[in-house]
Amino acid sequence: MKTIQFREAICEAMSEEMRHDESIYLIGEEVAEYNGAYKASKGMLDEFGPKRVIDAPIAELGFAGIAVGSAMNGNRPIVEFMTFNFSLVGIDQIINNAAKMRQMSGGQFNIPIVFRGPTASAGQLAATHSQAFENWYANCPGLKVVVPSNVYDAKGLLKSAIRDNDPVIFMESEQMYGDKGEVPEGEYTLPLGVADIKREGKDVTIVSFGKILKEAFIAAETLEKEGISCEVIDLRTVRPLDYDTVLNSVKKTNRLVILEEAWPFGSVASEITYMVQEKAFDYLDAPIQRITTADTPAPYSPALLKEWLPNADDVVKAVKKVAYK
């Protein structure tokens, strides 16, 4: 094993796959000459050249469309958005072309493409730069949505996403690029659509994904000292969602808390809540609790932002509520 940063895991995943397959290329703003806005493509221009690591103008609709068209012609593009907030400029290409082309062409065209970049809040970046769109993209049939929470998962999942023959939305975080973690020295991949039980427990199930999962771990440690054993599940992939792992855990613990860094209305937590009450209602000993951001645009004020974002204290309170403590 070796220890690397999250940004290095992303770079290694892309570079390793590009060495194996010349049809893969990276396109986005500042990915080449600047080595990536977050240095997630450092050194790739030197290795692969300007035809495979392409600096695009500030025109997400344009370079997303170029990528979709090239995927229809046998290439396997990786599209980097500086943040998924900016993907809204190119969302027509993602939703109306990438996600639908295989069906609309009667299977004549696969769209093996990865749209990747950071999601959700990254400190005081205010309302238009702090949005989580996992549930938006997961709502659209034809797209797979991956949100890794750590270095090991990020590399293994990104390699699988690049190899996938369908369009994948791969969501990272500005606040995780400097995180360090261990990865194997050799080749490895992680399957899409398989959740991971990060912490075994018997009293309450906590489900989360992405960087906010860190708050679940903090809460679980606190609750362990108070005699409450929490099972923490990392979804890894929001779509397809691994319902079985969640359901099996709920059948064991009989209680469920869902932690998500997104608005409450139409959230991933809402979908999980529905599926659990449909498939495992008789196993529940308490109403399901969900923890999300406040139902407002993200504030700029640090004091308000602290209140807006979910945290470990919120998780502790929710777990105690379902445990009737």
Side-chain angles (χ1 to χ4, degrees):
M1 303 290 283
K2 61 181 179 180
T3 300
I4 60 174
Q5 290 185 329
F6 192 101
R7 59 169 56 89
E8 293 174 309
I10 297 297
C11 186
E12 283 192 5
M14 293 190 293
S15 297
E16 287 174 11
E17 294 305 305
M18 288 174 70
R19 291 177 195 128
H20 295 320
D21 188 342
E22 292 188 357
S23 69
I24 301 170
Y25 68 89
L26 172 66
I27 186 170
E29 296 152 0
E30 299 184 349
V31 299
E33 296 289 346
Y34 192 64
N35 286 311
Y38 312 103
K39 301 299 178 275
S41 54
K42 186 176 181 180
M44 290 180 65
L45 175 63
D46 292 339
E47 179 174 357
F48 300 106
K51 289 187 177 181
R52 296 185 67 197
V53 182
I54 304 166
D55 275 331
I58 304 174
E60 287 79 7
L61 181 64
F63 62 78
I66 288 170
V68 172
S70 72
M72 294 174 67
N73 284 277
N75 290 305
R76 306 182 74 89
I78 304 168
V79 177
E80 179 180 307
F81 295 118
M82 198 174 291
T83 103
F84 266 95
N85 295 278
F86 304 159
S87 76
L88 299 191
V89 181
I91 198 169
D92 177 63
Q93 290 293 340
I94 301 170
I95 299 295
N96 281 328
N97 288 328
K100 297 178 173 60
M101 192 58 65
R102 184 174 181 182
Q103 180 179 347
M104 292 194 303
S105 69
Q108 295 180 77
F109 292 105
N110 290 329
I111 308 295
I113 185 170
V114 175
F115 298 99
R116 52 158 293 269
T119 185
S121 64
Q124 285 181 264
L125 298 184
T128 61
H129 290 67
S130 303
Q131 301 168 109
F133 295 121
E134 297 92 285
N135 57 325
W136 284 36
Y137 286 115
N139 184 254
C140 180
L143 298 176
K144 297 177 180 178
V145 181
V146 181
V147 193
S149 68
N150 60 74
V151 174
Y152 174 83
D153 287 2
K155 182 175 179 180
L157 291 167
L158 182 53
K159 286 171 72 69
S160 293
I162 294 169
R163 296 180 188 186
D164 202 285
N165 285 326
D166 293 315
V168 179
I169 308 293
F170 195 92
M171 297 176 138
E172 303 152 17
S173 168
E174 287 108 315
Q175 293 184 326
M176 290 178 66
Y177 285 119
D179 287 2
K180 292 182 178 180
E182 289 188 337
V183 300
E185 291 281 359
E187 173 86 10
Y188 78 100
T189 60
L190 295 173
L192 306 186
V194 179
D196 186 35
I197 300 174
K198 299 293 191 194
R199 180 188 175 108
E200 298 277 353
K202 59 183 177 60
D203 296 326
V204 180
T205 299
I206 303 173
V207 174
S208 188
F209 57 91
K211 78 172 187 291
I212 202 70
L213 186 75
K214 296 176 183 179
E215 300 299 317
F217 289 135
I218 296 170
E221 291 287 342
T222 300
L223 290 159
E224 188 71 34
K225 297 172 184 176
E226 300 183 30
I228 301 174
S229 173
C230 295
E231 183 147 291
V232 180
I233 297 176
D234 181 357
L235 290 179
R236 285 177 167 171
T237 304
V238 171
R239 182 155 184 168
L241 201 152
D242 184 357
Y243 295 108
D244 288 342
T245 295
V246 176
L247 289 168
N248 289 336
S249 179
V250 170
K251 289 176 181 179
K252 178 175 71 171
T253 67
N254 310 116
R255 295 170 173 86
L256 175 61
V257 171
I258 309 165
L259 172 63
E260 179 179 1
E261 191 179 350
W263 297 305
F265 193 93
S267 60
V268 174
S270 300
E271 166 66 16
I272 296 171
T273 298
Y274 172 80
M275 291 301 296
V276 171
Q277 67 82 29
E278 182 187 33
K279 304 287 187 181
F281 180 81
D282 291 339
Y283 291 89
L284 289 171
D285 287 342
I288 298 167
Q289 295 294 308
R290 68 176 182 183
I291 306 163
T292 65
T293 64
D295 198 15
T296 68
Y300 175 74
S301 157
L304 291 176
L305 183 64
K306 185 178 179 181
E307 293 299 314
W308 183 80
L309 274 172
N311 59 46
D313 289 340
D314 297 326
V315 180
V316 169
K317 291 175 185 175
V319 168
K320 288 184 175 181
K321 186 173 182 178
V322 300
Y324 300 114
K325 298 287 187 179

